Amino acid sequence: MSFFKKIFSSNKKNDEKKPAFPKEIMTDEYFEKRYLKHTIEEEIIEGSMKMVKGYFIDMHIEPANVPIYYPENLDKAVNEGLGFHFYCQGLKLEDKEILFFLAVNFSRYMNEQYGFELYQDTETETPLRGMNLKFDKDGALITLYPLEYSLKVLNGTSSFTELENKVKPHLENLPSVKNILDSLNSLKK
């Protein structure tokens, strides 16, 4: 038993010393070609919020004491009562529209709370990754996919609150491009 303890504990120590590296490095030119800054019209944002608010009203559910587009309320809409998905299907809405309502609400929240910007990926690998939220700190980016994540929430495998809790510590500790390059250069030596 102690043999396995030593193996696993030594691996944890080694993992902690490894520098974090980005999954992708791209030039500014490539980024500007691939990702187009996107703005959702205010009427669409308001309509998406009204859909969620309407769900709470129709289901006689009290929303959390925060704006309707906050993760707590989005999670509550998905999980309480009939569920937002079933409710929207009853209104003859398609799945892509239901995902879009949730994604727009969550995108607004991430923009207002943390400064994420909305982009459209012109070379997306999947349709659910066409809508991107990006947080830029000195050239280092965090990317979220609100449509794809909304599907995970509707499928019950995650929540908007969980995503926010995963992202928040990374925003504070996001390394600069210089730090990443210094780490890469230190590996050469």
Side-chain angles (χ1 to χ4, degrees):
M1 189 78 132
S2 63
F3 171 73
F4 288 113
K5 256 187 190 175
K6 287 180 185 177
I7 289 176
F8 291 118
S9 64
S10 65
N11 284 343
K12 286 181 186 174
K13 290 177 187 173
N14 289 339
D15 287 344
E16 289 173 8
K17 293 178 185 178
K18 290 182 183 178
F21 293 110
K23 291 185 179 181
E24 183 177 29
I25 297 175
M26 65 179 78
T27 64
D28 289 339
E29 292 81 19
Y30 177 74
F31 180 87
E32 290 168 7
K33 178 183 164 219
R34 180 170 177 175
Y35 298 101
L36 304 175
K37 205 164 207 178
H38 190 70
T39 304
I40 298 174
E41 295 175 21
E42 194 59 36
E43 298 86 35
I44 293 173
I45 294 170
E46 287 176 21
S48 296
M49 289 189 315
K50 284 180 182 177
M51 281 300 298
V52 176
K53 191 173 189 169
Y55 174 75
F56 283 106
I57 293 168
D58 290 345
M59 295 296 113
H60 306 288
I61 299 170
E62 189 67 33
N65 195 21
V66 292
I68 206 73
Y69 56 92
Y70 274 46
E72 298 94 326
N73 281 325
L74 297 177
D75 290 337
K76 200 170 189 179
V78 169
N79 296 314
E80 290 189 21
L82 294 174
F84 188 68
H85 186 248
F86 187 72
Y87 172 78
C88 289
Q89 284 180 322
L91 297 173
K92 306 287 188 227
L93 296 171
E94 295 182 25
D95 286 347
K96 63 183 178 183
E97 295 167 313
I98 299 165
L99 290 175
F100 185 73
F101 291 142
L102 293 171
V104 166
N105 278 282
F106 187 68
S107 296
R108 178 175 184 168
Y109 174 77
M110 294 304 285
N111 174 263
E112 286 183 2
Q113 292 298 310
Y114 302 106
F116 275 80
E117 295 289 330
L118 186 61
Y119 288 88
Q120 177 185 357
D121 186 348
T122 62
E123 299 174 21
T124 185
E125 296 158 9
T126 70
L128 292 176
R129 290 197 166 192
M131 183 181 196
N132 287 237
L133 284 172
K134 296 193 178 296
F135 178 82
D136 186 345
K137 180 182 176 189
D138 301 324
L141 295 171
I142 292 178
T143 302
L144 302 176
Y145 305 102
L147 287 171
E148 183 177 77
Y149 206 81
S150 294
L151 181 60
K152 288 181 180 183
V153 173
L154 283 177
N155 286 333
T157 59
S158 195
S159 72
F160 291 109
T161 305
E162 285 177 24
L163 178 58
E164 180 186 18
N165 291 337
K166 286 178 188 175
V167 169
K168 198 185 303 187
H170 294 288
L171 297 175
E172 297 162 3
N173 300 318
L174 192 62
S176 69
V177 172
K178 182 186 178 322
N179 292 352
I180 293 169
L181 292 175
D182 290 346
S183 295
L184 287 171
N185 285 329
S186 71
L187 291 176
K188 288 182 182 179
K189 296 174 184 181

